[in-house]
Amino acid sequence: MALHLALEIDGAGSHPGAALATSILTDRLLSADHLRRTVAIAENAGVTLVTLDDSLVGPARIDAVTRAAFVAPLTSRIGLVPLAHPAVTEPFHLASQVAALDHAATGRSGWLVGSGPVPGARAALDRPVAEGQDLLDETRDVVRVVRDLWDSWEDDAVIRDTATGRYIDRDRLHHVDFTSGGTGPFAGPGLRDAPDGGRAPFTVKGPLIVPRGPQGQPVVVARAGTVPVDLVDIVLVDSPETSGAPLTFLDLHVTLDTDRATAVDRLAALDDLVPSTDVLRWTGSPDGLVELLLSLRGAVDGVRLLPTLLEEDLPQIVRWVLPALRVARATPTPRPGATLRETLGLPRPTNRHATLQETS
């Protein structure tokens, strides 16, 4: 059974002390050239998709969706899945940005749904930001309306009829009239607090300003428990388990032996800078990681590797881990021109409005 490999490539690495350990390299790690080279390395190694985290604190950088759009025309096989947080991004703009990314990437885009508190959000937005159950409710509503907006253009809405001067068939554009639910002390994205202190429902009107993308809908990736599984294509889990979603990927933090030091010593040095959090982690040799990944076939559909220190762990993954998995025929290799959905074995979603017209 095939096991897809995803790779988190943002910043210095997944360990909270990674940025301190590479502080002298910060400018280079955030450069466009570093991003281009890192994605190229992952694509040439046969990685199914890369994710790009995002943050409102730390070194200034361009948002994850824009960074993914930058490397989109420079790649041909790898999936590009940036994080965008529903709590800090207006739903209509979020839907437009990810849809535009799907066009730029010729159908290789996805959306990693941000979850949990967003450090720095209150200062950046100058308004209260949802927390706890209010944040979960808001996240659910945003994902639902984003998927509605992606269907607001039917596949053949763009006709480019030069004889009549028509660019679109307006009958194949559909208005989305969405009002969020839930109550609480926070305003929805882009709206002020309700006068009575409750959460003012946010409203979104359609259609979108971007035609339906090559995939129909970009691949939606979310952590387990944050979004209903009927709205998600890939669920990220912290232990091998089924999620009820079409695909389940395991998040695995990776610290590998290098020529410079053992994985145990490397992790200890980083923990001396900032103690690591309680996550599922492999600490050891590349060969041991290969054995672990082979054992996960059938338990999950894929594994997202989060290198502890990107500059040191990525070369080990590319040099030793991925080639061994290819020899074992354990991981599929994306082919040029395939959409991310095709690589993952996911069907292209039928536009709900076209379905309604067919059945009416």
Side-chain angles (χ1 to χ4, degrees):
M1 189 172 184
L3 183 76
H4 292 283
L5 280 190
L7 184 68
E8 169 57 43
I9 63 168
D10 185 70
S14 66
H15 193 283
L20 291 176
T22 57
S23 58
I24 61 173
L25 303 174
T26 297
D27 290 342
R28 182 167 67 84
L29 290 173
L30 296 178
S31 70
D33 185 61
H34 180 267
L35 174 62
R36 177 190 58 77
R37 287 188 293 104
T38 301
V39 175
I41 289 169
E43 180 172 61
N44 292 335
V47 172
T48 296
L49 64 91
V50 292
T51 58
L52 295 89
D53 202 353
D54 215 343
S55 177
L56 295 176
V57 297
R61 55 181 172 176
I62 299 172
D63 69 272
V65 178
T66 303
R67 282 181 280 139
F70 164 71
V71 295
L74 307 177
T75 54
S76 62
R77 292 176 291 159
I78 197 165
L80 304 170
V81 185
L83 181 143
H85 206 298
V88 298
T89 311
E90 201 280 329
F92 189 91
H93 296 320
L94 194 159
S96 300
Q97 290 170 340
V98 180
L101 173 61
D102 202 44
H103 285 283
T106 59
R108 291 176 290 113
S109 78
W111 170 31
L112 177 55
V113 180
S115 61
V118 187
R122 181 65 179 86
L125 302 178
D126 195 27
R127 65 165 174 82
V129 179
E131 298 177 350
Q133 187 59 48
D134 286 312
L135 179 56
L136 284 173
D137 293 341
E138 189 169 289
T139 299
R140 175 204 63 208
D141 287 342
V142 171
V143 175
R144 191 176 302 280
V145 72
V146 165
R147 302 205 79 149
D148 287 346
L149 287 165
W150 285 339
D151 269 356
S152 62
W153 290 60
E154 294 186 39
D155 289 323
D156 54 357
V158 178
I159 56 176
R160 296 186 177 93
D161 188 344
T162 55
T164 62
R166 292 189 304 157
Y167 175 72
I168 58 174
D169 181 348
R170 60 187 303 171
D171 292 333
R172 287 178 169 77
L173 263 62
H174 303 276
H175 285 271
V176 172
D177 190 359
F178 183 89
T179 301
S180 69
T183 59
F186 304 100
L191 297 182
R192 59 183 175 79
D193 293 332
D196 60 0
R199 179 160 68 93
F202 67 83
T203 60
V204 177
K205 302 288 185 180
L208 204 60
I209 57 174
V210 180
R212 200 165 193 250
Q215 294 186 103
Q217 295 214 355
V219 175
V220 177
V221 183
R223 295 203 58 78
T226 59
V227 181
V229 292
D230 64 309
L231 297 175
V232 181
D233 298 299
I234 300 175
V235 165
L236 300 176
V237 296
D238 293 323
S239 61
E241 61 188 56
T242 57
S243 65
L247 297 175
T248 302
F249 277 33
L250 178 70
D251 264 355
L252 180 64
H253 294 250
V254 174
T255 311
L256 296 174
D257 295 335
T258 68
D259 294 337
R260 183 180 63 84
T262 67
V264 172
D265 289 342
R266 292 183 54 230
L267 183 60
L270 288 169
D271 283 342
D272 286 341
L273 294 174
V274 181
S276 58
T277 54
D278 184 17
V279 294
L280 184 65
R281 184 185 301 279
W282 170 260
T283 305
S285 69
D287 289 343
L289 176 59
V290 171
E291 292 180 10
L292 172 62
L293 293 173
L294 291 175
S295 73
L296 289 170
R297 287 186 296 176
V300 290
D301 302 293
V303 175
R304 182 172 71 137
L305 301 178
L306 295 95
T308 295
L309 205 59
L310 189 65
E311 290 284 284
E312 296 187 9
D313 291 303
L314 179 58
Q316 303 303 310
I317 293 171
V318 169
R319 183 177 181 183
W320 303 112
V321 178
L322 285 163
L325 293 174
R326 284 200 302 273
V327 169
R329 297 186 177 181
T331 55
T333 300
R335 60 177 177 82
T339 69
L340 181 55
R341 286 186 172 275
E342 289 170 339
T343 300
L344 293 167
L346 294 170
R348 188 180 190 278
T350 302
N351 188 295
R352 68 197 68 186
H353 299 291
T355 303
L356 290 174
Q357 289 179 2
E358 291 171 2
T359 58
S360 60

